Structures are given as structure tokens and as C-alpha cells.
Amino acid sequence: MENIDNIYEQLDKELSMNGADNLREIRRGALEKFRRTGIPTTRHEEWKYTRLSSLFNKQLNLPVSGADLPFTREDLNALRLPGQAEANELVFINGLYSEAFSVIRSSGIEVLPLAIAAENEYAPIVKAHLGHSSKYHEDGLHALNTAWLRDGAFVAVKKAAVPEQPLYIINIADARTQHQFLQPRCLIHLAERAVLQVIDNNITIGNVDCLTSQVVEAVVEEAAFLEYYKLQHDAPNSSIVSTTHIRHVGKSNSHVVTISLDGKLVRNNLNIVLDAEHCESHMYGLYMPKGDDHIDNHTLVDNVKPHCFSNELYKGVMSDRSTGVFNGKIFVRQQAQKTNAYQSNKNILLSPDATVNTKPQLEIFADDVKCSHGCTIGQLDEDGIFYLRSRGISEEMARSLLLHGFATDILEQIKPLALRNYMEELINHRLELKDYEY
């Protein structure tokens, strides 16, 4: 594919021109992996139901470090979510970390360019954890992001820090004039007893097709707690492949909620690596594609050490000609005795043309564990519709109320009140409940 060759040549030239740095070895290795494997196809088992080839049939423009961007602070002000104006903002513009637009208002958080963090006092953390997600993703798309990580960001949450405001990760794609292929990269480190709320949002401005390949790696130390909320409500010309990789290296907790509502093609890879004893993780997801949208959620929980607990609930509502995919894996390593791991995926099809592919998986190599998984696919409960209609509610409104009830289990897991209310508004609008009092 000509586009792939051009991407390789551009990155190879960039790596050859710049001086040596601590990221060069990992970037060069990733670039060679990208050259060998290329963009994943449906022949790759992990990409069986998600086809990327059509996204590469046009000339894609990679980000250029230091390029002047026709983007202003007024543009950013118009894109903020409710409650964001007073929070911490980590801004990526066209895949590149922007120090100029990023603002850290809370004490206890430090944000640096990844290239600088790899050479100062944070270098041992970067060396130990950057690229750990590559062990779980053998495809060229993930490798390409690693090859381009020079303009990424490093977030350090200090020991025992509890920032009073969330950290918003804002990925802005400027697709007003040309096709974009963006590669934002972030490494987050929570020191001992640190607490952090992260709200991850992707925004595309303009009507030209845009593809974002995002990788966020997080490291959670002893007694730390990470809350991670991913919101995907983007333009119809936007596609994203997002990898969120959370590694617990001390007894710690994480709470992750992924809400996917809009986007031409959405692929979410969520990895939870329980690499210490007595860790706990909760994962929730809601996906509601419409039209011809395609939303694919791949989750993986790797129980490396014993006495860990994980709970996972994903729900999908497919309408029109849309497609949903859920693939959830739970690994229990031989030494991970006393593991408790639970997974559930529930889906509703609203149209005969809608499709969902679901594949829960367990791979257990220990003998003293409690694990379960399950999935359901169906339509709305006709008895429930009949009951509501018997109370004077129209059929359309009855269907919307039942769908809202179906989604509530996930929405209730969003702890920041401003974000939860905003997501309620979006879903009520989708379900045409915005003018209904209940």
C-alpha cells in the first residue's frame, strides 16, 4: 500500500536526521516492527470484525512537530466540556502534545514532554514502563504510534497527592483542510497513595476524514487509585483506534468507564494488568452506534499475581445499519491463585440491519479461582413496552424509557457529577427523551 510506504519513509528520515536521545532505541524498534507487520487486516484474529483498509485509501498527513497551527485559545474555549474550565488540561493538537495550550491548576501533578521525562529524574519510570502495552498488541498500528512518540506527554502524580480537579486529556484534530493521521501518546504515573481522575475526550474540527491512533499507558503504584473516563462523541468523519493500558504494580485500584456514542469507526483497546497482589479493577462500557457507525471494544484483564479482583460490565445498543463488537479476555496466570474475575456483555439490536459480534474469553492456568463470563443479545422487552403503553405512554417513548433504563447501570458509574449530567443529556437527546420529565 503506497500510503504505508510513505509513512515508513517519512519516519525513517525523521529518525535519521535528529540526534540521539533516550527514546531512539524504542522508536527505531517499533518502526521496524511497523515495516514488517503493516496495518492489521481482518486476517488478524484480533481485527476479525474491524476493517481498517478503507481508511488508508487516501493520502494521510502525519503530524509535523513545530508546525504552525491555525488554532487559538478561543477555539479551545468553545470545545470544553461542562466543568472543564477550572480543571487541569492536557492538550494534544494534531497528535502532538501542546505545552502552550495545556494548563495544570492542581498541585501534585507535573506534566512534561515525554522526551524530556526520558532524560531527567523520571527516566527510570519511563524506561521501566513506556511501551509495556506493546507486549499485548502485536499489530503495526500500535507499533507506529510508538515509533512516533517523541512528541508525547508524561504525567507524574506525586506521592500521596489527591488533586482537587480532574485531568482532562483533550485530543484535538484539525481536519478543516486536509486528511489527518494522528498519533497522540501519553504515559501517566501515579506514585504511592496518589489519586487521579482522568477524562479523555476526542474532538475533530472540520469535515475532512481524520484517523487518530491514540495510546495512553498508566502505571498505578501501591495504594494509588486511578479513575479513567473515556468519552467518544466525535464527528462523523472521525475514526479512532484508542489503546488504554493500565498496569497495577502495587496493591491499588482502578475504575474505568468508556462511553462510545459517535464516530465513523471506533476501536477501543482496554488492558488491565494486575501485576501486584490484592489489586482491584472495575470496567464499564456503553456503546450506542447508529447509521453506518462501527464501534469495537476489546478488553483484556491479565491476572499476573494472586488475590486480585476484577469486574467488567459492557452494554451495547445497535440501531440502523451499525455494527458493534465486544471481545473480552480474562487471563489468569499459573501463579495468580485466589483470583476473582467477572465479565458480562449485554446487547440490544433495534434494527434488523444492525449487527453485533461478541466473544467473551477465559484462559485460566490456576486452579483456585472464581471466574465467570457471559453475553446476551436480544431486542427490547415487549412485555415492558406493553406495560408502559397501558399507562398511556406512546410506543416510541416506551422504547426510549426502556433503553435509558438499560444504559443507567453504566451512567451511574460516572462519578464526576458534571460529566455524568452531560452524558445523561447526550443519551437523552439520542433517545429523544430531552423534553420528557420522569
Side-chain angles (χ1 to χ4, degrees):
M1 189 180 294
E2 183 178 356
N3 268 334
I4 303 304
D5 294 337
N6 291 338
I7 291 170
Y8 175 82
E9 291 173 4
Q10 183 176 341
L11 266 172
D12 183 58
K13 181 179 179 181
E14 191 270 335
L15 276 169
S16 301
M17 289 177 60
N18 292 322
D21 58 54
N22 288 352
L23 299 179
R24 177 167 299 278
E25 182 178 349
I26 186 174
R27 293 182 65 203
R28 173 59 70 180
L31 180 59
E32 292 306 314
K33 182 177 180 180
F34 168 69
R35 182 183 63 82
R36 294 193 308 270
T37 58
I39 301 302
T41 69
T42 53
R43 293 191 297 272
H44 192 300
E45 182 63 27
E46 295 298 309
W47 293 86
K48 183 176 180 180
Y49 300 110
T50 300
R51 188 182 302 273
L52 297 177
S53 57
S54 62
L55 302 177
F56 291 87
N57 290 336
K58 57 182 71 69
Q59 181 62 44
L60 296 171
N61 296 280
L62 286 167
V64 179
S65 181
D68 292 331
L69 297 171
F71 191 83
T72 66
R73 189 160 293 279
E74 287 69 28
D75 293 329
L76 176 60
N77 292 340
L79 302 174
R80 285 192 173 100
L81 296 173
Q84 184 178 322
E86 303 302 322
N88 305 290
E89 296 179 314
L90 175 57
V91 180
F92 291 82
I93 300 177
N94 286 354
L96 308 176
Y97 164 54
S98 172
E99 289 186 83
F101 286 95
S102 299
V103 179
I104 301 302
R105 298 179 171 91
S106 298
S107 60
I109 301 179
E110 185 176 5
V111 177
L112 297 168
L114 195 49
I116 293 178
E119 297 178 351
N120 63 13
E121 68 270 22
Y122 295 113
I125 295 173
V126 174
K127 183 177 180 181
H129 300 291
L130 182 65
H132 190 265
S133 59
S134 300
K135 298 180 179 180
Y136 297 84
H137 298 282
E138 295 298 325
D139 61 83
L141 193 63
H142 187 276
L144 180 60
N145 182 285
T146 302
W148 201 263
L149 58 72
R150 184 171 58 88
D151 291 291
F154 176 78
V155 179
V157 187
K158 306 293 185 178
K159 184 176 181 179
V162 184
E164 63 276 13
Q165 293 289 344
L167 174 69
Y168 282 78
I169 301 177
I170 311 129
N171 293 299
I172 300 171
D174 188 347
R176 290 177 285 194
T177 59
Q178 60 183 2
H179 301 291
Q180 299 282 8
F181 183 25
L182 312 179
Q183 312 284 327
R185 183 68 173 246
C186 184
L187 175 62
I188 302 173
H189 180 258
L190 275 69
E192 294 179 17
R193 305 194 309 280
V195 176
L196 182 66
Q197 281 186 342
V198 177
I199 299 172
D200 187 344
N201 189 22
N202 296 278
I203 304 168
T204 300
I205 54 176
N207 299 315
V208 182
D209 285 352
C210 174
L211 171 61
T212 299
S213 174
Q214 176 196 23
V215 177
V216 176
E217 295 174 310
V219 184
V220 190
E221 300 279 2
E222 182 74 18
F225 179 37
L226 173 64
E227 289 181 41
Y228 201 102
Y229 302 96
K230 182 179 291 293
L231 167 61
Q232 294 167 328
H233 175 54
D234 209 349
N237 58 303
S238 172
S239 298
I240 182 169
V241 178
S242 174
T243 296
T244 304
H245 182 84
I246 300 173
R247 186 184 184 191
H248 294 258
V249 296
K251 178 184 176 182
S252 53
N253 291 7
S254 62
H255 178 91
V256 185
V257 182
T258 304
I259 309 290
S260 304
L261 300 181
D262 293 288
K264 182 178 180 181
L265 182 148
V266 176
R267 164 67 177 252
N268 294 314
N269 300 313
L270 172 60
N271 305 334
I272 305 292
V273 183
L274 304 175
D275 207 357
E277 294 189 30
H278 300 286
C279 292
E280 184 171 328
S281 182
H282 297 261
M283 296 147 281
Y284 303 93
L286 176 66
Y287 47 102
M288 301 178 70
K290 66 182 189 311
D292 293 312
D293 291 349
H294 178 98
I295 298 178
D296 179 351
N297 284 287
H298 267 60
T299 68
L300 182 149
V301 180
D302 189 2
N303 293 274
V304 180
K305 298 293 174 63
H307 301 284
C308 290
F309 175 85
S310 64
N311 182 52
E312 181 176 3
L313 174 62
Y314 270 66
K315 291 188 172 185
V317 179
M318 276 57 63
S319 58
D320 304 323
R321 301 166 304 282
S322 65
T323 303
V325 180
F326 175 81
N327 188 315
K329 293 183 179 179
I330 296 175
F331 291 116
V332 182
R333 307 294 179 177
Q334 186 173 2
Q335 67 272 25
Q337 303 292 342
K338 303 294 184 180
T339 289
N340 289 345
Y342 306 98
Q343 178 192 99
S344 178
N345 176 229
K346 301 178 180 181
N347 300 277
I348 293 177
L349 296 177
L350 298 180
S351 164
D353 298 318
T355 304
V356 65
N357 299 284
T358 179
K359 185 181 180 183
Q361 295 175 263
L362 292 175
E363 293 190 25
I364 302 173
F365 301 96
D367 53 17
D368 187 6
V369 302
K370 294 180 181 179
C371 298
S372 69
H373 65 179
C375 66
T376 59
I377 301 173
Q379 298 175 329
L380 281 175
D381 180 14
E382 293 298 329
D383 291 339
I385 294 175
F386 176 81
Y387 174 82
L388 291 173
R389 292 197 66 189
S390 70
R391 296 302 187 267
I393 298 175
S394 68
E395 181 174 357
E396 293 76 12
M397 186 59 66
R399 292 168 63 87
S400 295
L401 288 170
L402 288 175
L403 289 172
H404 184 275
F406 180 77
T408 296
D409 287 351
I410 307 302
L411 295 175
E412 288 178 344
Q413 301 303 325
I414 302 175
K415 297 181 182 180
L417 184 59
L419 181 63
R420 186 196 309 166
N421 291 339
Y422 177 68
M423 295 309 306
E424 285 269 8
E425 291 179 7
L426 290 180
I427 291 174
N428 287 348
H429 182 80
R430 172 70 61 85
L431 300 176
E432 299 183 350
L433 281 170
K434 55 185 180 298
D435 297 322
Y436 186 80
E437 295 183 3
Y438 56 94

